[in-house]
Amino acid sequence: MAFTLVEHPLIQHKLSILRKIDTETNKFRALTREITNLLTYEATRDLSLDPISITGWAGSVNCQKLTGKKVAVVPILRAGIGMMQGVLDLIPSARVNVVGLYRNEETLTPVEYYKKFNPDIEVRTAIIADPMLATGHSMGACCVMLKNKGCSKIKALCIVAAPEGVRYMANHHPDVQIFAAALDEKLNEDGYILPGLGDAGDRLFGTK
Ligand code: URA
């Protein structure tokens, strides 16, 4: 299965602060960004490199640089915006491609209401950012949108994953590599992850 739990001590320490009910909005946002930095580091281990020769202080040096057209970060609105800068901190040249999905309360399926992709998205590695992998339906829908655009290399970052979401992605998008800071117990009847973080959008943006 293409699921990686990133159990780095720094991530686990930051996550324990993130989980606290009384962690304030600005701290929550900063920690989300820092954890995303660490997830991005892990998720980009396989980016390809080209040899280059540069002029250093003592003459020419053989170095390496990232190959060609590189990365697009794809935040899923709205909570994914909280992770976006965490990817851009490490990959400043990444393009930002945004996806907006809402849940149809009758069918419980995600409905697309916004998307903006690079014209060359198919040659980039797409890194989806969504803090909570709950049912997996939104992430799955985002993968379908990217694949319809010809994207063949898709990774996804989340802070907390539920087993239900991981299973859904393994069944529907086994080719997508997921990197998470935590694999929690389950979803409650309202689709929230337990123990989770609560509503990640509200906690990131202070809307509650
Ligand atoms: N979205 C959230 O913000 N939190 C959850 O626990 C699940 C989905």
Side-chain angles (χ1 to χ4, degrees):
M1 167 156 55
F3 178 78
T4 303
L5 186 59
V6 186
E7 292 177 297
H8 193 288
L10 289 174
I11 290 190
Q12 298 314 313
H13 178 82
K14 290 172 193 298
L15 186 60
S16 67
I17 306 170
L18 206 61
R19 285 192 194 274
K20 285 187 187 169
I21 190 169
D22 55 356
T23 296
E24 289 173 3
T25 301
N26 58 352
K27 184 80 179 160
F28 192 94
R29 207 162 34 225
L31 287 164
T32 299
R33 178 171 169 175
E34 289 167 20
I35 292 172
T36 307
N37 289 159
L38 296 160
L39 292 174
T40 302
Y41 175 83
E42 197 60 39
T44 51
R45 279 185 183 280
D46 63 348
L47 288 184
S48 59
L49 294 166
D50 286 332
I52 49 161
S53 177
I54 59 111
T55 306
W57 73 277
S60 89
V61 191
N62 293 329
C63 297
Q64 301 187 84
K65 71 175 184 65
L66 292 169
T67 306
K69 292 268 175 63
K70 302 164 191 120
V71 171
V73 53
V74 187
I76 301 180
L77 298 176
R78 100 183 131 138
I81 292 290
M83 298 178 77
M84 179 184 80
Q85 194 57 46
V87 179
L88 292 173
D89 289 338
L90 270 66
I91 317 172
S93 64
R95 301 299 195 248
V96 177
N97 290 221
V98 175
V99 164
L101 299 163
Y102 71 88
R103 188 163 82 149
N104 179 315
E105 291 305 334
E106 276 166 27
T107 62
L108 301 182
T109 53
V111 182
E112 168 190 325
Y113 67 88
Y114 185 78
K115 65 169 182 248
K116 188 77 181 175
F117 291 133
N118 276 111
D120 64 354
I121 182 73
E122 77 281 357
V123 299
R124 294 176 182 271
T125 297
I127 302 183
I128 299 171
D130 194 358
M132 310 304 276
L133 178 60
T135 62
H137 293 173
S138 297
M139 192 171 281
C142 182
C143 289
V144 170
M145 290 161 77
L146 288 166
K147 287 177 182 178
N148 286 343
K149 282 279 175 191
C151 235
S152 60
K153 190 146 194 214
I154 305 175
K155 296 167 186 263
L157 308 182
C158 54
I159 307 287
V160 179
E164 292 88 337
V166 175
R167 263 197 306 276
Y168 181 88
M169 287 298 292
N171 288 335
H172 293 84
H173 298 282
D175 53 312
V176 173
Q177 289 177 280
I178 300 168
F179 297 83
L183 179 60
D184 275 9
E185 285 165 30
K186 58 179 179 182
L187 296 180
N188 72 10
E189 59 283 1
D190 298 320
Y192 281 86
I193 301 176
L194 296 175
L197 301 172
D199 188 304
D202 282 339
R203 297 205 65 189
L204 280 163
F205 302 118
T207 41
K208 206 162 190 184

